[in-house]
Amino acid sequence: MWYQEIGPKQDVVLSTRIRLARNVSGIPFSPKMTAEDANTLWEKAVSASERMGGYLTAQKLSDLSPIARQVLVEDHLLSRELLKKPLSCGLLLSSDKRVSVMVNEEDHLRIQAVVAGFDPAGALDLANRVDDALEEALPFAFDPEWGYLTACPTNMGTGLRVSIMVHLPGLTRMRQMQQLTQSLTKIGLTVRGIYGEGTEASGAIYQISNQITLGVTEAEILEKVTSAMNQVIKLEHTATRELKEQYEETLSDSVYRAFGILRYARKLSSEEFMKLYSEVRFGMNLGILPIEDTPELRALWVTVQPAHLMQEQELSPDARDHARAQAVRTVLEVL
Amino acid sequence: MWYQEIGPKQDVVLSTRIRLARNVSGIPFSPKMTAEDANTLWEKAVSASERMGGYLTAQKLSDLSPIARQVLVEDHLLSRELLKKPLSCGLLLSSDKRVSVMVNEEDHLRIQAVVAGFDPAGALDLANRVDDALEEALPFAFDPEWGYLTACPTNMGTGLRVSIMVHLPGLTRMRQMQQLTQSLTKIGLTVRGIYGEGTEASGAIYQISNQITLGVTEAEILEKVTSAMNQVIKLEHTATRELKEQYEETLSDSVYRAFGILRYARKLSSEEFMKLYSEVRFGMNLGILPIEDTPELRALWVTVQPAHLMQEQELSPDARDHARAQAVRTVLEVL
């Protein structure tokens, strides 16, 4: 899984995600679709994906248990919107879970690729390969002047969205996030919480993505996001350095307390976990907390989400808080 | 030191302290004393104590540094009142620090003995030995009808005060302390905070003592305190059992978090330390926290008090909070 791996600029950038919005000519767009249209779309998409020789596995949403669906949402492979779809829909998923295609979300196809760290070109390359393979089998709705046609005009043109998941404890603590958000908005980027539109930033984790897909080339979008991200990384490093210089003792106390609570607590809510985990990673990156980063530690912010904890059995919220604390202890005890 | 030792009923009772108030005939009582009277008293007291063959060492207050004085206060060997005395005064102290005589406090002599756990007879025995030895050399102010005469009438008669230092986290958490205090007051006992009259209960530590010294015998005082304490211990055990039965998971979480913070924090105020330390000892006594009690752990609530931390060098309040956290870590890391 991408969240266990290490990528470029991993201290600030958790992941780079590319999304391509595509629609199939001859099938009505999502808002006007019948049940029959949805079945046709699903079958065509699955059949097209089979051309990639088993690279993608089809998972129809209706075949998945509620917990399994939620696990995919927490893995950032499935959108919350797709869960609400009454018609045929589902996922085409690569075995390494780096590439997925949501079928019949807002658009017919949403091709996604996610890699660890900051690597838009790498992620785009993965997405393009699937895009090309599917396009050979399916006639995509494309206009020479407007580019790819999409259900919502904001996605038209390239249909490309680059989303960068970042951890910005320095800027958050220095209360510079509002200002940063405003600056990024001005140049056409949006800043959102951890699970996309309308969700809160939890544990100083944010998603930064391009808002405009039309009238610009893929290369221009990548260039804009890259130059903005280099700036964000620089700002985070500056904020962190200042914090360390001015408040090292307070910071050190706060980081070690977070580690102490995570290491011993018997109950942890999701919200408290994110706060403490963010603090521990911050301390680790600052060199204050002498622990080693491991795949298990890196993955923790996803693996202790509610559905991940319930893969073996349904749990009450209280039992989940216990299971979360236990899972965290298991990872931290070996460090 | 008594606070490193283990005594009877140590899970609830930290220490038993006996105090005998005595005054010397022919020297004016404290409120009417001149500087010359004070010098005479000090010399007579020191000379009388020498009859005990080096058991007691004289420490004149004016010869002690402010930090050394404060350390004695934190050790419960010197009262805060004595610190304010403008005239000659000081301490006669046994090498094991179980017996001390404050010279020229509210009364001419305040003989004190303190032992670990609940042992009023043992403590009284220690105090009586010093009382007898001093009385051989000094004519104590004594009236056949009123008993020992004291500066304040509330101490007249036996001049005996029994003070039991107790740790009552169960009753405190169950919010039963107010009711208990009222019940004890009705039978002539008082409940106070950790450093005597007018101080707050910190970390669920309280001092329970007899209010009346007149018109009763020493045996009656001891009997009353003993029967009340047996009741208090029983109530604390009941409260603890109920808490454990009803809230074991919450309790366990809270105890482990306290342990985690104490084990890793880089800054600890005295107040926060007492709260967390109380929690850790509670968890240990309940069998929730599988750590072993050691003399260093038992003594911690005294040894991390401000003056104890400053025995080697003066520290700012902030530096003290760091030194306290460090001292706590040193003790907890070996557990």
Side-chain angles (χ1 to χ4, degrees), chain B residues 56 62 117 121 135 208 231 255 321:
Chain B
L56 298 174
S62 52
E135 197 157 19
I208 297 174
Q231 192 58 26
V255 160
D321 288 353

PDB file of all heavy atoms in Angstrom, chain B residues 56 62 117 121 135 208 231 255 321:
ATOM      1  N   LEU B  56      20.172  13.301  68.929  1.00  0.00           N
ATOM      2  CA  LEU B  56      19.625  14.500  68.272  1.00  0.00           C
ATOM      3  C   LEU B  56      20.745  15.484  67.910  1.00  0.00           C
ATOM      4  O   LEU B  56      21.639  15.722  68.709  1.00  0.00           O
ATOM      5  CB  LEU B  56      18.616  15.196  69.198  1.00  0.00           C
ATOM      6  CG  LEU B  56      17.374  14.395  69.588  1.00  0.00           C
ATOM      7  CD1 LEU B  56      16.545  15.161  70.618  1.00  0.00           C
ATOM      8  CD2 LEU B  56      16.511  14.084  68.361  1.00  0.00           C
ATOM      9  N   SER B  62      18.974  30.011  61.835  1.00  0.00           N
ATOM     10  CA  SER B  62      19.781  31.069  61.203  1.00  0.00           C
ATOM     11  C   SER B  62      21.053  30.521  60.545  1.00  0.00           C
ATOM     12  O   SER B  62      21.655  31.184  59.706  1.00  0.00           O
ATOM     13  CB  SER B  62      20.141  32.141  62.232  1.00  0.00           C
ATOM     14  OG  SER B  62      20.729  31.527  63.371  1.00  0.00           O
ATOM     15  N   GLY B 117       3.414   4.390  57.229  1.00  0.00           N
ATOM     16  CA  GLY B 117       2.197   3.601  57.416  1.00  0.00           C
ATOM     17  C   GLY B 117       1.431   4.000  58.669  1.00  0.00           C
ATOM     18  O   GLY B 117       1.679   5.060  59.256  1.00  0.00           O
ATOM     19  N   ALA B 121       1.067   3.892  67.892  1.00  0.00           N
ATOM     20  CA  ALA B 121       1.770   3.463  69.099  1.00  0.00           C
ATOM     21  C   ALA B 121       3.281   3.544  68.883  1.00  0.00           C
ATOM     22  O   ALA B 121       4.022   4.021  69.748  1.00  0.00           O
ATOM     23  CB  ALA B 121       1.360   2.029  69.455  1.00  0.00           C
ATOM     24  N   GLU B 135      12.471  16.031  79.554  1.00  0.00           N
ATOM     25  CA  GLU B 135      11.808  16.402  80.810  1.00  0.00           C
ATOM     26  C   GLU B 135      12.723  16.198  82.018  1.00  0.00           C
ATOM     27  O   GLU B 135      12.574  16.879  83.036  1.00  0.00           O
ATOM     28  CB  GLU B 135      10.506  15.603  80.986  1.00  0.00           C
ATOM     29  CG  GLU B 135       9.586  16.225  82.020  1.00  0.00           C
ATOM     30  CD  GLU B 135       8.113  15.830  81.837  1.00  0.00           C
ATOM     31  OE1 GLU B 135       7.845  14.827  81.161  1.00  0.00           O
ATOM     32  OE2 GLU B 135       7.246  16.561  82.348  1.00  0.00           O
ATOM     33  N   ILE B 208      -5.255  13.668  58.439  1.00  0.00           N
ATOM     34  CA  ILE B 208      -6.348  13.556  59.404  1.00  0.00           C
ATOM     35  C   ILE B 208      -5.727  13.601  60.793  1.00  0.00           C
ATOM     36  O   ILE B 208      -4.768  12.872  61.068  1.00  0.00           O
ATOM     37  CB  ILE B 208      -7.126  12.237  59.187  1.00  0.00           C
ATOM     38  CG1 ILE B 208      -7.766  12.246  57.796  1.00  0.00           C
ATOM     39  CG2 ILE B 208      -8.172  12.040  60.273  1.00  0.00           C
ATOM     40  CD1 ILE B 208      -8.444  10.947  57.412  1.00  0.00           C
ATOM     41  N   GLN B 231     -12.037   2.921  59.952  1.00  0.00           N
ATOM     42  CA  GLN B 231     -13.249   3.203  59.197  1.00  0.00           C
ATOM     43  C   GLN B 231     -12.896   3.858  57.850  1.00  0.00           C
ATOM     44  O   GLN B 231     -13.430   3.478  56.804  1.00  0.00           O
ATOM     45  CB  GLN B 231     -14.145   4.135  60.044  1.00  0.00           C
ATOM     46  CG  GLN B 231     -15.554   4.290  59.534  1.00  0.00           C
ATOM     47  CD  GLN B 231     -16.300   2.966  59.438  1.00  0.00           C
ATOM     48  OE1 GLN B 231     -15.995   2.015  60.152  1.00  0.00           O
ATOM     49  NE2 GLN B 231     -17.248   2.900  58.507  1.00  0.00           N
ATOM     50  N   VAL B 255      -5.137   5.613  34.341  1.00  0.00           N
ATOM     51  CA  VAL B 255      -3.911   5.235  35.057  1.00  0.00           C
ATOM     52  C   VAL B 255      -2.737   5.093  34.076  1.00  0.00           C
ATOM     53  O   VAL B 255      -1.639   5.604  34.322  1.00  0.00           O
ATOM     54  CB  VAL B 255      -4.149   3.902  35.807  1.00  0.00           C
ATOM     55  CG1 VAL B 255      -2.831   3.221  36.138  1.00  0.00           C
ATOM     56  CG2 VAL B 255      -4.979   4.134  37.057  1.00  0.00           C
ATOM     57  N   ASP B 321      10.597  22.771  36.637  1.00  0.00           N
ATOM     58  CA  ASP B 321       9.664  21.852  35.991  1.00  0.00           C
ATOM     59  C   ASP B 321      10.412  20.845  35.112  1.00  0.00           C
ATOM     60  O   ASP B 321      10.009  19.688  34.988  1.00  0.00           O
ATOM     61  CB  ASP B 321       8.638  22.633  35.153  1.00  0.00           C
ATOM     62  CG  ASP B 321       7.640  23.381  36.042  1.00  0.00           C
ATOM     63  OD1 ASP B 321       7.678  23.167  37.274  1.00  0.00           O
ATOM     64  OD2 ASP B 321       6.844  24.168  35.509  1.00  0.00           O
TER      65      ASP B 321
END
